[in-house]
Amino acid sequence: MDRLTTIAQQFAASKEVIAVRAFGSGNINDTFLVTIADKTTPHFVLQRIDTHVFQQPALVMQNMQIFTQHISDKLSKETTTERRWAVPQVLFTLAGADSWVEPDGSFWRAISFIDDSESIDIIQDIQHGREVGYALGRFHSLISDLDPARLADTLEGFHITPKYLEHYHRVLPTTKVERDPDVEYCLKFVQERQEWARVLEDAKNDGLLTLRPIHGDPKVNNIMICTTTQQAIGIVDLDTVKPGLVHYDIGDCLRSGCNPLGEETKDWKQVQFDPHMCRAILEGYLSQASGFLTAQDYLYLFDGIRLIALELGLRFFTDYLAGSVYFKVKYPQHNLDRALVQFQLTASIEAQETTIRSIIEELRA
Ligand code: GN1
Ligand code: MG
């Protein structure tokens, strides 16, 4: 039996592991789909957590148990006939542990797979957009009454844009990359926006925005779509659920969903933010979340959308400058190409500020 199968077997109870194959397109953890000899639940997801990124993986698992329990309790009390919503469950080893650590220190865990569902990398159409927005709104409304203090901070500094800027300024003098025109463009792009980049953190520190449990990474391919109904039926990749601002999530969902070329396109000059998709995603979101958003929350929505695109561009660019030590890459310039896509998206968001703000105003009314 190869090593991967042996690890998968730890989580398979007494069922035989038939196959283990690479799954999804995550930039951090390694993900596999395991097939076992069980007719009712033939699959589960096995992951090796990148412990350079998540340095306390046990806390990731602890958080997962806390919010999974909270959401499952709420779902069981729902009286109206709500749409199907599935929550991935943590699977345990035969010894009853929520993870498996290999002799080399690698950290493995398994979660249930949401049956009859698929994850799609690039937004398909307006209907898909509504479903993506619905899913984030549904998730926020299910966890909005969970005390954020119960969740550990699994990734310090995550989405705190000024901290990414500090890191960028530490990396910049040490970089070995060549200063070609693309790099010069990125340097200037960041330079011109760095003062503004404190906007959400300032609002948080001034008490205008409050911490709530957030997903942390609600991009399009983390929303599970039912293969039969095409409806969103769950949200996965729950490692970054922690206290934060819903604006980070809304911004992340929109920067991902409103970029029809996707974040991996090589054609960065053609990247544009699609305002029609923005409306569809926000409509879906607000159908679930309007009940808990405050007037102040709405005021900062546009900033959230602009900021998270800028922030992700900055994170990719910094990683390129640092020699690609954080995000997995397929070729040396990969993180530079990804940064250019996000900066182009930011520029497109900025150019359409009036339109985007009026969509938010209209939907809020
Ligand atoms: C990373 O690993 P993945 O693809 O789920 C990153 C997100 C980025 C995303 C961009 C922990 O997520 O913040 O938005 O790449 N996750 C972490 O695709 O840094
Ligand atoms: Mg993720």
Side-chain angles (χ1 to χ4, degrees):
M1 211 187 280
D2 66 24
R3 203 62 218 156
L4 208 46
T5 310
T6 311
I7 297 166
Q9 196 64 62
Q10 306 303 321
F11 297 95
S14 50
K15 305 289 157 74
E16 187 201 347
V17 171
I18 299 171
V20 185
R21 68 170 170 89
F23 190 59
S25 47
N27 292 328
I28 312 281
N29 299 327
D30 294 327
T31 305
F32 303 88
L33 187 70
V34 180
T35 309
I36 55 172
D38 185 318
K39 284 211 175 70
T40 38
T41 46
H43 299 113
F44 67 83
V45 175
L46 176 70
Q47 290 185 298
R48 174 170 47 205
I49 305 289
D50 182 333
T51 47
H52 293 291
V53 173
F54 296 101
Q55 294 184 1
Q56 291 180 282
L59 288 184
V60 171
M61 299 313 292
Q62 181 186 299
N63 275 3
M64 209 171 263
Q65 310 250 30
I66 292 173
F67 64 73
T68 303
Q69 191 58 51
H70 178 85
I71 293 176
S72 302
D73 288 351
K74 274 191 88 167
L75 286 172
S76 69
K77 287 189 200 120
E78 272 182 355
T79 47
T80 50
T81 35
E82 293 283 347
R83 286 163 49 169
R84 175 181 168 205
W85 188 256
V87 186
Q89 302 291 324
V90 173
L91 303 185
F92 293 86
T93 65
L94 278 176
D98 61 12
S99 51
W100 172 262
V101 182
E102 280 284 274
D104 66 1
S106 61
F107 187 101
W108 296 80
R109 63 102 190 273
I111 44 179
S112 60
F113 175 72
I114 304 176
D115 275 331
D116 311 321
S117 73
E118 60 181 336
S119 111
I120 304 170
D121 278 330
I122 298 181
I123 199 87
Q124 304 295 296
D125 50 27
I126 290 288
Q127 185 50 30
H128 186 203
R130 270 202 202 97
E131 291 302 315
V132 165
Y134 166 90
L136 182 61
R138 180 91 157 110
F139 181 77
H140 278 175
S141 75
L142 284 166
I143 53 168
S144 64
D145 59 347
L146 171 66
D147 178 4
R150 289 189 61 204
L151 298 174
D153 189 344
T154 49
L155 199 51
E156 218 191 304
F158 191 57
H159 286 320
I160 313 289
T161 319
K163 292 236 187 282
Y164 291 115
L165 276 167
E166 282 169 24
H167 179 53
Y168 166 75
H169 285 294
R170 276 196 303 275
V171 167
L172 199 49
T174 67
T175 187
K176 297 195 173 57
V177 308
E178 189 198 329
R179 291 220 171 188
D180 65 16
D182 284 347
V183 170
E184 291 296 346
Y185 171 83
C186 290
L187 291 169
K188 186 158 175 283
F189 201 89
V190 174
Q191 174 67 31
E192 288 169 354
R193 287 158 184 82
Q194 50 182 350
E195 285 310 313
W196 169 81
R198 311 192 49 82
V199 58
L200 289 189
E201 287 308 298
D202 283 351
K204 186 174 85 183
N205 295 336
D206 292 346
L208 300 172
L209 300 175
T210 45
L211 286 179
R212 296 191 179 100
I214 61 159
H215 180 279
D217 191 12
K219 55 181 178 177
V220 167
N221 62 8
N222 282 333
I223 310 297
M224 300 309 291
I225 301 290
C226 174
T227 45
T228 319
T229 63
Q230 305 304 313
Q231 290 185 328
I233 52 167
I235 187 162
V236 295
D237 193 4
L238 301 163
D239 300 327
T240 44
V241 174
K242 56 174 227 162
L245 299 177
V246 287
H247 299 71
Y248 303 152
D249 272 359
I250 299 168
D252 199 53
C253 190
L254 289 165
R255 69 111 199 122
S256 160
C258 302
N259 168 9
L261 294 184
E263 60 185 81
E264 292 290 324
T265 180
K266 300 282 177 315
D267 207 0
W268 67 269
K269 288 201 169 134
Q270 298 306 316
V271 168
Q272 281 197 15
F273 183 87
D274 178 352
H276 302 294
M277 198 57 84
C278 173
R279 177 188 292 276
I281 294 176
L282 281 176
E283 267 169 5
Y285 179 75
L286 293 173
S287 74
Q288 298 300 302
S290 58
F292 62 83
L293 290 187
T294 65
Q296 287 294 347
D297 285 331
Y298 279 101
L299 282 183
Y300 284 92
L301 283 189
F302 174 78
D303 289 317
I305 302 167
R306 179 183 170 201
L307 187 69
I308 296 300
L310 173 69
E311 180 193 277
L312 185 57
L314 171 69
R315 292 172 63 201
F316 283 140
F317 183 48
T318 306
D319 200 32
Y320 173 67
L321 297 174
S324 296
V325 292
Y326 185 96
F327 296 104
K328 287 181 197 165
V329 287
K330 296 202 171 98
Y331 55 93
Q333 317 281 317
H334 199 162
N335 276 322
L336 178 60
D337 288 347
R338 288 166 167 160
L340 289 163
V341 170
Q342 295 304 319
F343 289 154
Q344 184 72 6
L345 193 63
T346 309
S348 174
I349 292 167
E350 290 167 351
Q352 299 183 84
E353 173 166 356
T354 314
T355 311
I356 300 169
R357 282 193 189 275
S358 62
I359 292 171
I360 295 168
E361 273 308 302
E362 236 177 85
L363 293 178
R364 180 195 165 167

